[in-house]
Amino acid sequence: MPRIPLFVPGGDEVRTPKAYRMAADAVILDLEDAVADAEKPAARRHVRETLTATADQRVESWVRVNALTSGMLADDLAAVVVRGLAGVVLPMAERPEDVRHVASQLEEAERDAGLRPGSTGIIPLVETAAGLVEASRIVA
């Protein structure tokens, strides 16, 4: 887990290059709240291009994907699981099963991308009361 992450809207073509020049341990490209629904396909393409272009930099690249319940997670993972992705930030994690489900989807996307299954990290975000009740199990 990065000590000093810098969040950047996933579709922001101006701020993204600047973020990689900052003194952060990681850049988190946000596809969730920072991107309007109509702009998500373009943002996914931009994030994929950014991950590929920055794969050899010292700064880790993470992507905050859309929540499991959004119906957009599969499209996010298909777009962003490429060489250069350190991991995904999973919003609205409420149960351990949520994390296991995403881990399973990630492994499939990693295989499709020619990456070693299990090589992509997951940072679950606990953002609801239900998630808080299950927090110790979610992070386990």
Side-chain angles (χ1 to χ4, degrees):
M1 170 136 175
R3 290 179 308 128
I4 306 170
L6 177 61
F7 279 79
V8 179
D12 193 324
E13 295 180 15
V14 174
R15 291 186 200 159
T16 302
K18 292 178 183 179
Y20 282 90
R21 293 191 301 266
M22 304 300 287
D25 293 327
V27 172
I28 300 176
L29 303 163
D30 190 353
L31 288 176
E32 192 205 19
D33 291 339
V35 178
D37 287 352
E39 297 172 9
K40 289 190 191 281
R44 287 184 190 109
R45 285 189 296 276
H46 176 67
V47 167
R48 183 181 186 92
E49 291 167 2
T50 299
L51 293 169
T52 302
T54 60
D56 296 320
Q57 291 191 14
R58 66 160 189 83
V59 177
E60 288 185 356
S61 294
W62 291 73
V63 176
R64 181 179 183 193
V65 293
N66 286 281
L68 184 60
T69 57
S70 71
M72 295 183 257
L73 180 63
D75 289 338
D76 289 350
L77 295 178
V80 305
V81 177
V82 295
R83 185 177 162 279
L85 176 67
V88 297
V89 178
L90 176 64
M92 305 298 285
E94 293 188 331
R95 306 171 305 142
E97 295 81 13
D98 295 346
V99 178
R100 284 194 288 274
H101 181 77
V102 171
S104 175
Q105 287 186 318
L106 264 175
E107 287 184 6
E108 184 177 327
E110 288 165 332
R111 278 192 280 284
D112 290 347
L115 302 172
R116 182 176 51 83
S119 62
T120 305
I122 302 173
I123 298 173
L125 297 180
V126 174
E127 301 179 80
T128 66
L132 187 58
V133 168
E134 294 290 324
S136 65
R137 292 182 54 222
I138 289 170
V139 297

